[in-house]
Amino acid sequence: HSIKITQHEQKARVRMPLKDLLNHSTVDYLNFVSVLGTSWFFFGNAEAAISGVVPAVRTNQAQLTDIQKVKLWHWFYDNAKMRYAPIAFLSFVSSSTAAYLCNNRERRLVLLSSGLLNLFALPWTVLVIKKVNDKLIEISNGNLEEKAKKESKDLLLAWKQVNLVRYGASAICLALGYYSLLNF
């Protein structure tokens, strides 16, 4: 026996995913925006650390001089700061607003934690990472080849290490965001 599906039923099936997509709360949408931003922050930084500019400036595989490595880092820094700071802030605002609007106490705590971890990237950058960034920028802007030879290896390693804290925070933030989306 075969079951016949009317044309009206077929159209209803096609519309069902759209109906499901639209059948979510403001908290869900804000949570999704936060997860999207945090994903961009986390995976963008991970890609840069694995196969992007970070290996190029931390190893000698690209056969760059020390000053070239610092200048390449500076180019990356100037481009990344224009994207990652606003994304972290948007994710913070989205998670925090979702937490404020949320009626479920556990989910509110998860969303608030996620939001605060997104915000963490900004003061961490200003209070800790900026010290290393400023030294690298001074070398790059001054075209200080001798200083680059003496300090760039240690500064680029320090830059990578202080960024690991920020990456760890964004990984936890991303896990919290996904947990909130999938469990409530």
Side-chain angles (χ1 to χ4, degrees), residues 130-145:
K130 186 178 183 312
K131 294 171 189 172
V132 177
N133 290 352
D134 288 348
K135 291 176 184 177
L136 286 164
I137 291 168
E138 176 192 346
I139 292 170
S140 176
N141 285 343
N143 208 21
L144 306 172
E145 290 190 42

Side-chain angles (χ1 to χ4, degrees), residues 22 69 76 80 85 99-100 116 129 140 143 145 166 170 181 183:
L22 298 175
K69 288 178 182 181
F76 171 75
Y100 176 77
L116 290 174
I129 298 175
S140 176
N143 208 21
E145 290 190 42
R166 194 168 57 178
S170 69
L181 274 179
N183 290 292

Side-chain angles (χ1 to χ4, degrees), residues 15-33 98 101 107 180-184:
R15 285 193 302 245
M16 185 69 99
L18 183 58
K19 182 180 176 187
D20 287 344
L21 179 66
L22 298 175
N23 194 24
H24 289 278
S25 69
T26 302
V27 171
D28 291 335
Y29 290 120
L30 288 167
N31 191 172
F32 178 75
V33 168
L101 296 173
R107 187 175 192 188
S180 176
L181 274 179
L182 298 174
N183 290 292
F184 297 100

Side-chain angles (χ1 to χ4, degrees), residues 11-179:
K11 286 181 183 178
R13 282 185 176 178
V14 170
R15 285 193 302 245
M16 185 69 99
L18 183 58
K19 182 180 176 187
D20 287 344
L21 179 66
L22 298 175
N23 194 24
H24 289 278
S25 69
T26 302
V27 171
D28 291 335
Y29 290 120
L30 288 167
N31 191 172
F32 178 75
V33 168
S34 177
V35 166
L36 190 63
T38 305
S39 294
W40 184 358
F41 186 93
F42 178 76
F43 290 111
N45 277 297
E47 189 282 326
I50 294 168
S51 62
V53 70
V54 177
V57 299
R58 285 284 308 126
T59 67
N60 208 20
Q61 292 176 339
Q63 298 179 354
L64 301 173
T65 65
D66 292 324
I67 193 70
Q68 288 172 327
K69 288 178 182 181
V70 172
K71 287 187 175 290
L72 178 58
W73 169 87
H74 194 181
W75 170 84
F76 171 75
Y77 168 78
D78 282 343
N79 285 287
K81 74 179 179 184
M82 300 308 290
R83 285 188 290 280
Y84 292 125
I87 289 296
F89 186 73
L90 172 68
S91 295
F92 158 71
V93 170
S94 299
S95 285
S96 300
T97 304
Y100 176 77
L101 296 173
C102 186
N103 293 325
N104 179 299
R105 183 176 175 193
E106 182 184 354
R107 187 175 192 188
R108 185 181 312 119
L109 181 60
V110 169
L111 289 165
L112 186 58
S113 299
S114 176
L116 290 174
L117 281 171
N118 269 308
L119 185 62
F120 169 79
L122 301 174
W124 180 257
T125 300
V126 171
L127 297 173
V128 178
I129 298 175
K130 186 178 183 312
K131 294 171 189 172
V132 177
N133 290 352
D134 288 348
K135 291 176 184 177
L136 286 164
I137 291 168
E138 176 192 346
I139 292 170
S140 176
N141 285 343
N143 208 21
L144 306 172
E145 290 190 42
E146 287 305 312
K147 194 167 186 174
K149 284 181 185 177
K150 292 177 187 173
E151 298 178 25
S152 67
K153 187 179 254 183
D154 289 340
L155 286 172
L156 291 167
L157 177 61
W159 177 80
K160 181 181 176 187
Q161 290 173 335
V162 294
N163 271 283
L164 289 175
V165 174
R166 194 168 57 178
Y167 300 155
S170 69
I172 294 167
C173 180
L174 189 57
L176 289 170
Y178 276 120
Y179 177 80

